[in-house]
């Protein structure tokens, strides 16, 4: 790896997003089991043997990779990427053994959100997939703890990571009553009245409030509020993020693995807040996304295919073989840079 010198002078947000897309596609996108006409994201680079086989393929990471491909298609439409997106959708279905759902309600909500955007651009036939996901998400709702869906089937935990994206999904499919119920349940149950931050979840078997603070949770709650035009709750969340989760204006990272996507999810919905919120919180959202994007770009290292981004945007890449090898981290950086490009 070499210092990110040539790319450091790139200031155009669209050019940065283009470089991030190229890097992720070069290092991570590969055929599934060598089959022509397939494409799926390898979970690590350089890949382990299992990752070469897409054995541990991280379904919900793939959902965000698909979402990022759609971001890129909206930014710069090409026939090549349109074909890739269609191939990717088909490959996910094959790798998931012919179904669109799994045991985790948050996972399938994320895939549903990405597929809704694929349908909006008429890039693949996904109506039946969206219907399957919608039915499974409805199955997860119970009156335990006052409402909400479980984190996964057969569990005793209801949390923001499941209910937030599911509320956004329901709103976008036109089920506004369920979206409103979910968003209200989150507000009543998991928003800290002191800080305005959103807690992780609550356990039905013990009644324990799990008060971990993740950037992810702020992002999905913010997105749900935006879909409901709950401007006061959305604005409160933006202010809480600025005060507690963005030292020096840069969204805080949460390492590799699943955490590699957490801050990027928040960035996606901050970018939406910047275009929808009235008042000064819109300016705050713009500033958080842009400052984070600048830090992310400046901390990258040039390597095969382009920039390799840090898991902690405020710091340079740590070391070869660290969390930066995860698809989640690199897709998260790409998501951030696409979000910044929408605000240019």
């Amino acid at each position: 790896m070499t210092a990110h010198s040539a790319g450091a002078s790139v200031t155009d947000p669209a050019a940065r997003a283009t470089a991030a897309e190229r890097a992720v596609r070069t290092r991570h996108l590969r055929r599934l089991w060598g089959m022509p006409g397939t494409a799926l994201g390898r979970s690590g680079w350089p890949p382990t043997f299992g990752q070469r086989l897409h054995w541990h393929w991280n379904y919900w990471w793939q959902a965000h990779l698909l979402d990022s491909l759609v971001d890129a298609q909206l930014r710069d439409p090409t026939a090549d990427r349109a074909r890739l997106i269609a191939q990717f959708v088909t490959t996910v279905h094959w790798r998931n053994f012919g179904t669109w759902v799994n045991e985790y309600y948050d996972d399938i909500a994320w895939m549903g959100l990405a597929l809704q955007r694929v349908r909006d651009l008429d890039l693949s036939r996904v109506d039946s997939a969206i219907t399957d996901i919608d039915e499974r998400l409805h199955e997860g709702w119970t009156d335990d703890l006052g409402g909400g869906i479980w984190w996964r089937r057969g569990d005793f935990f209801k949390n923001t990571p499941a209910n937030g994206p599911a509320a956004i999904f329901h709103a976008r499919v036109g089920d506004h009553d369920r979206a409103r119920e979910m968003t209200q349940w989150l507000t009543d149950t998991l928003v800290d009245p002191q800080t305005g931050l959103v807690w992780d979840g609550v356990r039905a078997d013990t009644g324990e409030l799990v008060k971990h603070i993740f950037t992810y949770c702020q992002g999905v709650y913010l997105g749900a509020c935006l879909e409901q035009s709950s401007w006061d709750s959305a604005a409160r969340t933006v202010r809480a993020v600025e005060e507690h989760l963005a030292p020096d204006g840069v969204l805080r990272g949460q390492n590799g693995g699943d955490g590699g996507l957490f801050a990027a999810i928040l960035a996606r919905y901050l970018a939406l807040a910047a275009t929808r919120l009235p008042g000064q919180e819109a300016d705050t959202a713009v500033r958080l996304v842009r400052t984070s994007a600048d830090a992310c770009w400046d901390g990258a290292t040039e390597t095969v295919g382009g920039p390799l981004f840090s898991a902690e945007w405020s710091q340079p890449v740590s070391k070869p073989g660290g969390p930066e090898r995860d698809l989640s981290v690199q897709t998260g950086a790409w998501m951030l840079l696409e979000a910044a490009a929408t605000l240019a």
Side-chain angles (χ1 to χ4, degrees), residues 101-109 136-137 139-142 144 148-163 166 202-205 216 258:
V101 298
N102 64 20
E103 299 299 297
Y104 290 83
Y105 293 109
D106 55 343
D107 282 14
I108 63 174
R136 178 61 65 88
L137 291 176
E139 170 206 281
W141 178 277
T142 73
D144 301 271
I149 62 173
W150 303 105
W151 172 43
R152 61 183 174 182
R153 298 177 93 190
D155 205 40
F156 295 97
F157 189 47
K158 290 187 174 182
N159 63 358
T160 305
N163 284 272
V202 57
R203 300 190 184 281
D205 50 348
Y216 175 7
D258 286 345

Side-chain angles (χ1 to χ4, degrees), residues 35 42 158 229 301 344:
M35 294 188 296
R42 281 180 175 170
K158 290 187 174 182
S229 301
T301 293

Side-chain angles (χ1 to χ4, degrees), residues 58-270:
N58 301 93
Y59 175 103
W60 85 284
W61 296 11
Q62 306 293 334
H64 288 287
L65 178 52
L66 177 57
D67 234 348
S68 297
L69 286 166
V70 174
D71 288 339
Q73 187 68 2
L74 288 168
R75 170 177 49 79
D76 178 29
T78 69
D80 170 71
R81 192 187 300 104
R83 286 191 296 270
L84 173 61
I85 289 171
Q87 291 173 348
F88 191 94
V89 169
T90 299
T91 307
V92 167
H93 193 232
W94 286 350
R95 178 58 187 83
N96 208 43
F97 304 113
T99 180
W100 288 104
V101 298
N102 64 20
E103 299 299 297
Y104 290 83
Y105 293 109
D106 55 343
D107 282 14
I108 63 174
W110 283 121
M111 189 61 73
L113 288 171
L115 292 173
Q116 284 174 334
R117 300 178 75 216
V118 168
R119 182 171 63 180
D120 289 345
L121 294 181
D122 197 24
L123 295 170
S124 183
R125 295 180 180 274
V126 294
D127 286 352
S128 62
I130 292 171
T131 297
D132 289 349
I133 290 171
D134 185 50
E135 291 175 353
R136 178 61 65 88
L137 291 176
H138 272 277
E139 170 206 281
W141 178 277
T142 73
D143 292 333
D144 301 271
L145 299 168
I149 62 173
W150 303 105
W151 172 43
R152 61 183 174 182
R153 298 177 93 190
D155 205 40
F156 295 97
F157 189 47
K158 290 187 174 182
N159 63 358
T160 305
N163 284 272
I168 300 168
F169 173 88
H170 287 311
R172 292 180 180 176
V173 86
D175 189 352
H176 297 290
D177 288 342
R178 177 48 52 88
R180 186 164 46 251
E181 289 174 327
M182 278 188 167
T183 306
Q184 191 61 53
W185 180 82
L186 286 167
T187 301
D188 294 342
T189 310
L190 294 176
V191 174
D192 182 352
Q194 300 301 316
T195 65
L197 293 172
V198 187
W199 295 320
D200 185 32
V202 57
R203 300 190 184 281
D205 50 348
T206 65
E208 176 195 2
L209 272 173
V210 180
K211 295 186 178 182
H212 300 314
I213 299 297
F214 299 118
T215 46
Y216 175 7
C217 294
Q218 319 315 308
V220 295
Y221 178 71
L222 175 59
C225 290
L226 292 172
E227 295 297 330
Q228 303 305 309
S229 301
S230 299
W231 307 129
D232 289 345
S233 294
R236 180 191 62 219
T237 305
V238 172
R239 293 194 300 269
V241 167
E242 181 186 37
E243 181 177 356
H244 299 286
L245 298 179
D248 299 317
V250 179
L251 298 175
R252 195 171 68 202
Q254 295 190 266
N255 209 2
D258 286 345
L261 285 164
F262 286 8
I265 290 167
L266 176 53
R268 176 181 292 281
Y269 292 104
L270 283 170

